[in-house]
Amino acid sequence: AQSVTQLDSHVSVSEGTPVLLRCNYSSSYSPSLFWYVQHPNKGLQLLLKYTSAATLVKGINGFEAEFKKSETSFHLTKPSAHMSDAAEYFCVVSNSGGYQKVTFGIGTKLQVIP
Amino acid sequence: SQTIHQWPATLVQPVGSPLSLECTVEGTSNPNLYWYRQAAGRGLQLLFYSVGIGQISSEVPQNLSASRPQDRQFILSSKKLLLSDSGFYLCAWSDRLAVYNEQFFGPGTRLTVL
């Protein structure tokens, strides 16, 4: 069984300040982990993915995430928020190989205040 | 490169009317295909997935059905829509042969049932 918990449904930051979106997971397998971003009325876009090659993963638009097995966490960070970062972010866990069993988190809405 | 299309982009339908949403993928062969529904404040719910032509698996019992008449075509249908069918419907594909296979999402269809 696998699950993913996004610890905050809403996060509000000022433009230019750091962003932290938290995600914890559980998985019976060696998981693949992903972060997706969704702007209003749009599809989901992949930000970054962890596939066991490196624990610190860099993605698009200056985002990065660190896989911490001991904490079962995969938090998303960005040093300086931009207005265009305002969107909903989804943490996703997937079993590796075979049919891809994918579990989405409930999502975190990021508000960026000018 | 691969692209995924969904149409229509928006749809307003009366209760009891039929539904047909279409999704097509270009630039890849034998993809895994998925239908998700996103209701307000409820994250993404996997409705159906398909690993090949004519092979459909349903994740949750519901008023909807899916079909895959061609390798890169995935259709979501209903004979009689319910109010609860309103939501944002997302189609996605993944590469069946990739070990760490992230999903790629279409632009979505906003369905409003009145």
Side-chain angles (χ1 to χ4, degrees):
Chain A
Q2 63 187 27
S3 66
V4 59
T5 302
Q6 291 185 243
L7 297 163
D8 307 293
S9 58
H10 290 83
V11 170
S12 183
V13 301
S14 297
E15 189 176 18
T17 64
V19 176
L20 170 64
L21 305 183
R22 298 182 294 166
C23 172
N24 287 98
Y25 72 92
S26 67
S27 176
S28 302
Y29 306 90
S30 297
S32 297
L33 294 158
F34 310 86
W35 276 99
Y36 286 85
V37 60
Q38 185 183 31
H39 289 89
N41 293 309
K42 301 290 185 184
L44 276 70
Q45 180 184 18
L46 181 68
L47 273 180
L48 49 80
K49 63 180 178 181
Y50 165 75
T51 58
S52 78
T55 57
L56 182 62
V57 182
K58 294 187 183 298
I60 61 172
N61 301 335
F63 285 94
E64 61 182 38
E66 186 172 8
F67 173 71
K68 292 186 177 181
K69 187 174 182 179
S70 60
E71 299 177 10
T72 61
S73 69
F74 190 57
H75 301 333
L76 182 70
T77 60
K78 182 174 180 177
S80 177
H82 191 274
M83 294 299 296
S84 61
D85 295 329
E88 189 160 20
Y89 293 79
F90 294 92
C91 182
V92 178
V93 62
S94 169
N95 64 332
S96 300
Y99 160 63
Q100 184 188 16
K101 173 64 176 179
V102 172
T103 303
F104 281 78
I106 197 70
T108 299
K109 287 189 177 177
L110 175 64
Q111 179 186 21
V112 182
I113 302 169
Chain B
S1 64
Q2 302 88 3
T3 56
I4 178 169
H5 304 278
Q6 284 186 248
W7 64 90
T10 60
L11 191 60
V12 180
Q13 292 284 96
V15 169
S17 64
L19 173 73
S20 181
L21 302 182
E22 189 163 345
C23 170
T24 58
V25 182
E26 297 177 354
T28 187
S29 298
N30 302 313
N32 291 329
L33 294 172
Y34 311 84
W35 276 112
Y36 291 89
R37 177 169 57 206
Q38 188 176 28
R42 295 185 62 184
L44 271 75
Q45 180 185 35
L46 179 62
L47 302 175
F48 301 95
Y49 68 89
S50 172
V51 298
I53 296 174
Q55 300 179 62
I56 309 295
S57 296
S58 175
E59 285 291 297
V60 293
Q62 60 204 302
N63 182 45
L64 302 169
S65 62
S67 61
R68 185 170 176 174
Q70 300 180 46
D71 180 47
R72 290 168 289 178
Q73 184 185 28
F74 205 23
I75 297 172
L76 184 69
S77 304
S78 173
K79 292 182 179 178
K80 289 185 178 182
L81 283 168
L82 305 173
L83 287 174
S84 58
D85 291 325
S86 292
F88 193 50
Y89 288 82
L90 289 160
C91 181
W93 73 274
S94 66
D95 184 345
R96 192 185 311 172
L97 299 179
V99 176
Y100 303 108
N101 41 355
E102 67 264 32
Q103 295 185 4
F104 300 92
F105 286 82
T109 295
R110 173 71 61 188
L111 172 65
T112 303
V113 182
L114 302 174

